[in-house]
Amino acid sequence: MTALALPAARFTDLLAAEWIKLRSLRSTYWAFGSGALAVVGFNANAARADYVNYPHYGGPIRDDFVYWALRDAFTAGSAMILVLVCASIGAITVVGEYATGLVRTTFTAVPDRRALMAAKVVVLTVVMTVYGALVAAASYASSQAILDGRGLGVPIGHPGAWRVVVASALLAPVCALVGLGLGAVIRHSATTMVLTTFVLLLLPSFVTDRYHWTASVRHALPFNAWTRIVDVGFGRSHMLVPKYPATVAGGWVVLAVWAAVAAVVAVVVVDRRDV
């Protein structure tokens, strides 16, 4: 008798399986919780510092304090924390299976690797987008509530405020997908985290914007793209404008391209390589 072929797994089943994998990891909860507390706390502390020091600020800062308040809503330091947390979660979703050997069982049960990785990409993107939105909203609300003690808080309807919140929220899924893509290529946890940290956080500091071609490379990096998008006060008369400035539209494109390329790499590489 010939064995009956098992029906192919439905994509909804793959989504459910990946969701179970992600939420069953204890490290995921620790990363989510500690990362959110660190990001919100970092921004709240920046707002508290401006609240305390505001009486000592000079005229130029007071005149443009709305832009300082929007910076407090999501500071560069807190963005670095968010990048590390989200990239780590993205990497562990694929590297963890290779480290434990579970990937062999997974591929045996689901031979269609592309569908499997596509489900992983979808689940990771949705979860990290929700996480980024919650963290960005909490940071904005807490920082502006602190500044409201001096009547300095910026309402969410102020021009540029939504841009800060949305860009900061989307930084989470973008970095998570980059971590996933590099994890699928490298398949080693320590090396993946080192390279992810270098690409997302260290590389921008090594690339100057003094020349056109290096400025183009610098603008094409996700952290610099986020920095440009959230810089609502960019180009004001008393602020130094770089010789080759980036654009807000270009920043959105950079974030989208990094996310898309990372997702495609994760799907294609796993399908073409042996376990």
Side-chain angles (χ1 to χ4, degrees), residues 84-151:
L84 288 175
V85 170
C86 296
S88 299
I89 293 174
I92 201 173
T93 57
V94 62
V95 173
E97 291 195 56
Y98 280 102
T100 60
L102 178 62
V103 68
R104 295 183 178 86
T105 303
T106 301
F107 289 157
T108 301
V110 185
D112 189 351
R113 297 186 180 186
R114 290 193 177 186
L116 178 67
M117 288 304 298
K120 196 181 291 290
V121 166
V122 171
V123 170
L124 183 67
T125 301
V126 171
V127 170
M128 299 311 296
T129 301
V130 173
Y131 176 71
L134 292 175
V135 172
S139 291
Y140 192 92
S142 59
S143 61
Q144 302 313 302
I146 293 171
L147 293 174
D148 269 338
R150 292 192 185 276

Side-chain angles (χ1 to χ4, degrees), residues 21-275:
K21 289 179 188 177
L22 183 61
R23 65 185 176 87
S24 63
L25 292 173
R26 187 175 301 176
S27 58
T28 301
Y29 294 96
W30 280 104
F32 278 141
S34 60
L37 288 175
V39 170
V40 175
F42 200 102
N43 293 326
N45 184 64
R48 185 199 63 81
D50 278 335
Y51 172 89
V52 172
N53 296 323
Y54 183 78
H56 309 291
Y57 287 155
I61 295 180
R62 290 193 175 208
D63 293 341
D64 291 330
F65 191 77
V66 61
Y67 303 115
W68 290 74
L70 289 176
R71 287 181 183 179
D72 290 342
F74 219 95
T75 61
S78 68
M80 291 181 182
I81 297 173
L82 184 67
V83 167
L84 288 175
V85 170
C86 296
S88 299
I89 293 174
I92 201 173
T93 57
V94 62
V95 173
E97 291 195 56
Y98 280 102
T100 60
L102 178 62
V103 68
R104 295 183 178 86
T105 303
T106 301
F107 289 157
T108 301
V110 185
D112 189 351
R113 297 186 180 186
R114 290 193 177 186
L116 178 67
M117 288 304 298
K120 196 181 291 290
V121 166
V122 171
V123 170
L124 183 67
T125 301
V126 171
V127 170
M128 299 311 296
T129 301
V130 173
Y131 176 71
L134 292 175
V135 172
S139 291
Y140 192 92
S142 59
S143 61
Q144 302 313 302
I146 293 171
L147 293 174
D148 269 338
R150 292 192 185 276
L152 301 172
V154 180
I156 191 63
H158 189 279
W162 272 111
R163 199 169 87 194
V164 173
V165 175
V166 173
S168 301
L170 293 180
L171 189 62
V174 171
C175 293
L177 288 173
V178 172
L180 175 69
L182 290 176
V185 172
I186 300 171
R187 301 190 295 182
H188 186 275
S189 56
T191 307
T192 299
M193 286 314 306
V194 169
L195 186 57
T196 302
T197 302
F198 175 77
V199 170
L200 293 176
L201 294 180
L202 298 182
L203 185 58
S205 63
F206 292 131
V207 183
T208 181
D209 58 1
R210 297 169 64 181
Y211 309 101
H212 186 270
W213 74 272
T214 55
S216 299
V217 173
R218 183 179 177 87
H219 298 332
L221 298 174
F223 192 82
N224 291 76
W226 170 84
T227 301
R228 175 62 186 91
I229 294 171
V230 301
D231 189 1
V232 179
F234 182 86
R236 292 186 63 82
S237 58
H238 66 280
M239 295 182 179
L240 180 63
V241 177
K243 185 177 181 181
Y244 304 103
T247 63
V248 173
W252 291 117
V253 171
V254 168
L255 293 182
V257 168
W258 273 85
V261 170
V264 170
V265 167
V267 173
V268 172
V269 167
V270 170
D271 182 59
R272 295 188 173 222
R273 291 172 62 178
D274 295 331
V275 180

